Amino acid sequence: MKIHKTGRTKRFALGSTVALAVAGMNAPAVLGFATHQYHQYVINRPEYKAEYGHWQTLTLPAGFRVNAVHASLLRTGKVLIVAGSGNDEKHFDAGTFRSLLWNPADNTYKLVPTPADMFCGGHASLPDGRLLLAGGTQRYEKLAGAVKRAAGVMRVRNESPAGARTFPRGTVFVGPNGREYASTAPVTVPAAVKSGSGRQTVVTAGEQHVFVEAVGEGADWVAGSPAQYRIKGLDGADAHDLYGQSAKLTLDKQEYQGIRSAFEFNPDTELYEQVTDMASARWYPTLTGLGDGRVLTVSGLDDTGEILNGNDNEIYDPGSRTWSKGPDRYFPTYPSIFLTAAGKLFYSGSNAGYGPADKGREPGVWDLATNGFQPVPGLRDPDLTETSSSVLLPPAQAQKVMVLGGGGVGESPSSTARTDIADLSAATPAFTPGPDLPAGGTRYLSSVILPDDTVLTTGGSSGYRGRGGSDLLRAQVYHPDSNTFTAAAEPTVGRDYHSEALLLPDGRVAVLGSNPLFADKAETTPGGFEQRIEVYTPPYLFHGERPQVGAAPERAKLGGTVRIGSTRPEAVTTAKLIRPSSVTHVTDVEQRSVALDIGARTADGVALTLPANPDLLPPGWYMLFVTDAAGTPSVARWIQVTR
């Protein structure tokens, strides 16, 4: 592997020179200060920035700081930062759910009313520029020692074909021994289905589950064997037809629970708009946009804390704002699933945490039309794909997906430096080795496509949630053309769990969030949520004059040709449409960079032709960048791609 380290070596050499100059002073504090000052001098030199780029740290006023769990770039150029309860149970209990709208162009910001706890939901852009958000948190996990009330899943059954019945949160189920258990959410039970006639009549009860909790504390409320429960307050035929069944109610650990709620965020009104609920509750789902403008959602923990088994995938139609059932396929939570140019979906193996180690971990190509699944072999360290990063390498026409780093299942301390690349254009796709990550084993690495057809990778930690002070203050740039990494300027803020990074319309990269378990290497102090934003300015923005995009259409059709204005059309060597990121838990299946064909040039502009394939270039809003021969990009212009 070829890694460019010149700047890093130079930094340490210069630092040593300073150390020699002040060593005779016998003053460690002065030594440290002098070294720091000289380091600041070096990294702020124009020649250093032109080779490695530059980082800037932003600290918002206290009232506007949120725990950035989700970040999505909108077609207005603003970034929607969603915290929800922000992994803070006190905020959850208080119903304090937060979102921040940040404009990086002028560093302005405002809080947005947030109607539900979208913490650990999923999101994807829609063709009209709205952002779909689905799922979130209904209940926080409780560890075994902290569980005071016996709880578990109650299957509520309806033997009447007369109609569905809805029971509010707090509905009480009474066991054979008189113990009472209350539901923690409302539940609607479908009507029974009647088939046949006469003696051949068969009634199949309607059924829906709900989580229940004992009304009293202690082991006396544990129900360790299956039982039937009556619903308090019902009598007559209702008492006979409607009842609950539970296998067991225990004091065991309780997992996070998801919600069914879904919303669209409107970038014009800058408000959330509620849409039809999903059929299944989801916590840690992935949403992937399809070529026809619909959105597939898979996986997640349901409203009882169980991982969805794969027969509950759903597809959202933005036209009707409703959901329909999708093909059956099981995945662990937050799976990285990319739309391919063939209209199929590629699961890279990357995921973010919940699910058994021996199920749903194999990468492969999923055909939604036939529900077939073709495994893609060759991924090294296949047991270390949790908290790994995956990216559709630029240009998207190459149909190559890279998997970077990752760790073992759950709280495993293991991590890997492996990068592998799957060529999906091959007749039989397979992974081939890429260069190892320069920092070694890395979890939670962020990967961002840049307008010069490279990928910035930054942050992460070698340990689970940064344990043992293992955050990696490193960044590097991957070059698909040479299959190598080169060094980038080093960030100053550690980033691990619950961190995000995304490309901005001006060509910079914003990095947000981080939620380490501990604040110190000795693991004696609980970690806090990182609320500072770092912005990386790549080297290409220190190389002189940028290409300009003048007049440009607001819309362009697939397969069509558009003409853009430019003061230096002869300088334009590449053009691409980059889809805005929507990222959480190192999962960003939205970003893609699609190359455009450059046609005729005139004295004041250039003609650009779009691909005709909606599975390569899904309808929606994109950032149009042009670059010159040195890779210097223009400021993006927003264009809506339509069918």
Side-chain angles (χ1 to χ4, degrees), residues 13-48:
L14 292 169
S16 298
T17 302
V18 175
L20 289 172
V22 299
M25 302 172 66
N26 195 25
V30 174
L31 172 62
F33 176 76
T35 303
H36 172 75
Q37 289 295 96
Y38 198 81
H39 171 57
Q40 292 300 309
Y41 167 76
V42 170
I43 66 175
N44 284 287
R45 296 283 293 169
E47 57 268 28
Y48 184 95

Coordinates of all heavy atoms in Angstrom, one line a residue, residues 13-48:
A13 N 9.4 16.4 12.9 CA 10.7 16.9 12.8 C 10.8 18.4 13.3 O 11.7 18.7 14.0 CB 11.3 16.8 11.4
L14 N 9.9 19.2 12.8 CA 9.8 20.6 13.2 C 9.6 20.7 14.7 O 10.1 21.5 15.4 CB 8.8 21.3 12.4 CG 9.1 21.5 10.9 CD1 7.9 22.0 10.2 CD2 10.3 22.4 10.7
G15 N 8.7 19.8 15.2 CA 8.4 19.9 16.6 C 9.6 19.5 17.5 O 9.9 20.1 18.5
S16 N 10.4 18.6 17.0 CA 11.7 18.2 17.7 C 12.6 19.4 17.7 O 13.3 19.6 18.7 CB 12.3 17.0 17.0 OG 11.4 15.9 17.0
T17 N 12.7 20.2 16.7 CA 13.5 21.4 16.7 C 13.1 22.3 17.7 O 14.0 22.9 18.5 CB 13.5 22.1 15.3 OG1 13.8 21.1 14.3 CG2 14.4 23.3 15.2
V18 N 11.9 22.5 17.9 CA 11.4 23.4 18.9 C 11.8 22.9 20.3 O 12.2 23.6 21.2 CB 9.9 23.6 18.8 CG1 9.4 24.4 20.0 CG2 9.5 24.3 17.5
A19 N 11.6 21.6 20.5 CA 11.9 21.0 21.8 C 13.4 21.2 22.1 O 13.7 21.5 23.3 CB 11.6 19.5 21.7
L20 N 14.3 21.1 21.2 CA 15.7 21.3 21.4 C 16.0 22.7 21.9 O 16.8 23.0 22.7 CB 16.5 20.9 20.2 CG 16.6 19.4 19.9 CD1 17.3 19.2 18.5 CD2 17.4 18.7 21.0
A21 N 15.3 23.6 21.2 CA 15.5 25.0 21.5 C 15.1 25.4 22.9 O 15.7 26.4 23.5 CB 14.7 25.9 20.5
V22 N 14.1 24.8 23.5 CA 13.6 25.2 24.8 C 13.9 24.2 25.9 O 13.6 24.4 27.0 CB 12.1 25.4 24.8 CG1 11.7 26.4 23.8 CG2 11.3 24.1 24.5
A23 N 14.6 23.1 25.6 CA 14.9 22.0 26.6 C 15.7 22.6 27.7 O 15.4 22.2 28.9 CB 15.7 20.9 25.9
G24 N 16.6 23.5 27.5 CA 17.4 24.1 28.6 C 16.6 24.9 29.6 O 17.1 25.2 30.6
M25 N 15.4 25.2 29.3 CA 14.6 26.0 30.2 C 14.0 25.2 31.3 O 13.5 25.7 32.3 CB 13.5 26.7 29.4 CG 14.0 27.6 28.2 SD 12.6 28.2 27.2 CE 11.8 29.2 28.3
N26 N 14.1 23.8 31.2 CA 13.6 22.9 32.2 C 12.2 23.3 32.6 O 11.8 23.4 33.8 CB 14.5 23.0 33.5 CG 14.2 21.8 34.4 OD1 13.7 20.8 34.0 ND2 14.5 22.0 35.7
A27 N 11.3 23.5 31.6 CA 10.0 23.9 31.9 C 9.0 23.2 30.9 O 8.8 23.6 29.8 CB 9.8 25.4 31.7
P28 N 8.5 22.0 31.4 CA 7.6 21.2 30.5 C 6.4 22.0 30.0 O 6.1 21.8 28.8 CB 7.2 20.1 31.5 CG 8.3 20.0 32.5 CD 8.7 21.4 32.7
A29 N 5.9 22.9 30.8 CA 4.7 23.6 30.3 C 5.1 24.5 29.1 O 4.4 24.6 28.2 CB 4.1 24.4 31.5
V30 N 6.2 25.2 29.3 CA 6.7 26.0 28.2 C 7.0 25.2 27.0 O 6.7 25.6 25.8 CB 8.0 26.8 28.7 CG1 8.5 27.6 27.5 CG2 7.6 27.7 29.8
L31 N 7.6 24.0 27.2 CA 7.9 23.1 26.1 C 6.7 22.8 25.3 O 6.6 22.9 24.1 CB 8.6 21.9 26.6 CG 8.9 20.8 25.5 CD1 9.8 21.2 24.4 CD2 9.5 19.5 26.2
G32 N 5.6 22.3 26.1 CA 4.4 22.0 25.4 C 3.7 23.1 24.7 O 3.2 22.9 23.6
F33 N 3.8 24.3 25.3 CA 3.2 25.5 24.7 C 3.9 25.8 23.4 O 3.3 26.1 22.4 CB 3.2 26.6 25.7 CG 2.7 27.9 25.1 CD1 1.4 28.1 24.9 CD2 3.6 28.9 24.7 CE1 0.9 29.3 24.4 CE2 3.1 30.1 24.1 CZ 1.8 30.3 24.0
A34 N 5.2 25.8 23.4 CA 6.0 26.1 22.3 C 5.8 25.1 21.1 O 5.6 25.5 20.0 CB 7.5 26.2 22.6
T35 N 5.7 23.9 21.5 CA 5.5 22.8 20.5 C 4.1 23.0 19.8 O 3.9 23.0 18.6 CB 5.5 21.4 21.1 OG1 6.8 21.3 21.7 CG2 5.3 20.4 20.0
H36 N 3.1 23.3 20.7 CA 1.7 23.5 20.2 C 1.7 24.8 19.3 O 1.1 24.7 18.2 CB 0.8 23.7 21.3 CG -0.6 24.1 20.9 ND1 -1.5 23.3 20.3 CD2 -1.2 25.4 21.0 CE1 -2.6 23.9 20.1 NE2 -2.5 25.2 20.5
Q37 N 2.4 25.8 19.7 CA 2.3 27.1 18.9 C 3.0 26.9 17.6 O 2.5 27.3 16.5 CB 3.1 28.2 19.7 CG 2.3 28.7 20.9 CD 1.0 29.4 20.5 OE1 0.0 28.8 20.5 NE2 1.1 30.7 20.1
Y38 N 4.1 26.1 17.5 CA 4.8 25.9 16.3 C 3.9 25.0 15.4 O 3.9 25.2 14.1 CB 6.2 25.3 16.5 CG 7.0 25.5 15.2 CD1 7.7 26.7 15.0 CD2 7.1 24.4 14.3 CE1 8.4 26.9 13.8 CE2 7.8 24.6 13.1 CZ 8.5 25.8 12.9 OH 9.2 26.0 11.8
H39 N 3.3 24.0 16.0 CA 2.4 23.1 15.2 C 1.3 24.0 14.6 O 0.9 23.8 13.4 CB 1.8 22.0 16.1 CG 0.7 21.2 15.4 ND1 0.9 20.5 14.3 CD2 -0.6 21.0 15.8 CE1 -0.2 19.9 13.9 NE2 -1.1 20.2 14.8
Q40 N 0.7 24.9 15.3 CA -0.3 25.8 14.8 C 0.2 26.6 13.6 O -0.5 26.8 12.6 CB -0.9 26.7 15.8 CG -1.7 25.9 16.9 CD -2.9 25.2 16.3 OE1 -3.7 25.8 15.6 NE2 -3.0 23.9 16.6
Y41 N 1.4 27.0 13.7 CA 2.1 27.8 12.7 C 2.2 27.0 11.4 O 1.9 27.4 10.3 CB 3.5 28.3 13.1 CG 4.3 28.8 12.0 CD1 4.1 30.1 11.5 CD2 5.4 28.0 11.5 CE1 4.9 30.6 10.5 CE2 6.2 28.5 10.5 CZ 6.0 29.8 10.0 OH 6.8 30.2 9.0
V42 N 2.7 25.7 11.6 CA 2.9 24.8 10.4 C 1.6 24.5 9.7 O 1.5 24.7 8.5 CB 3.6 23.5 10.9 CG1 3.6 22.5 9.7 CG2 5.0 23.8 11.3
I43 N 0.5 24.1 10.5 CA -0.7 23.7 9.8 C -1.5 24.8 9.2 O -2.4 24.6 8.4 CB -1.6 22.9 10.8 CG1 -2.1 23.8 11.9 CG2 -0.9 21.6 11.3 CD1 -3.1 23.0 12.8
N44 N -1.1 26.1 9.5 CA -1.8 27.2 9.0 C -1.0 27.9 7.8 O -1.4 28.9 7.3 CB -2.1 28.3 10.1 CG -3.3 27.8 10.9 OD1 -4.4 27.9 10.5 ND2 -3.0 27.4 12.1
R45 N 0.2 27.3 7.5 CA 0.9 27.8 6.4 C 0.2 27.4 5.0 O -0.4 26.4 4.9 CB 2.3 27.1 6.3 CG 3.2 27.4 7.5 CD 3.8 28.8 7.4 NE 4.7 28.9 6.3 CZ 5.2 30.0 5.8 NH1 4.8 31.2 6.3 NH2 6.1 30.0 4.8
P46 N 0.2 28.4 4.1 CA -0.5 28.1 2.8 C -0.1 26.8 2.1 O -0.9 26.1 1.6 CB -0.2 29.4 2.0 CG 0.1 30.4 3.0 CD 0.8 29.7 4.1
E47 N 1.2 26.5 2.1 CA 1.7 25.3 1.5 C 1.2 24.0 2.1 O 1.0 23.0 1.5 CB 3.2 25.3 1.3 CG 4.0 25.4 2.6 CD 4.3 26.9 3.0 OE1 3.6 27.8 2.6 OE2 5.3 27.1 3.7
Y48 N 1.1 24.1 3.5 CA 0.5 22.9 4.2 C -0.9 22.7 3.8 O -1.4 21.6 3.5 CB 0.7 23.1 5.7 CG 0.3 21.9 6.5 CD1 1.2 21.0 6.9 CD2 -1.1 21.7 6.9 CE1 0.8 19.9 7.7 CE2 -1.5 20.6 7.6 CZ -0.6 19.7 8.0 OH -1.0 18.6 8.7

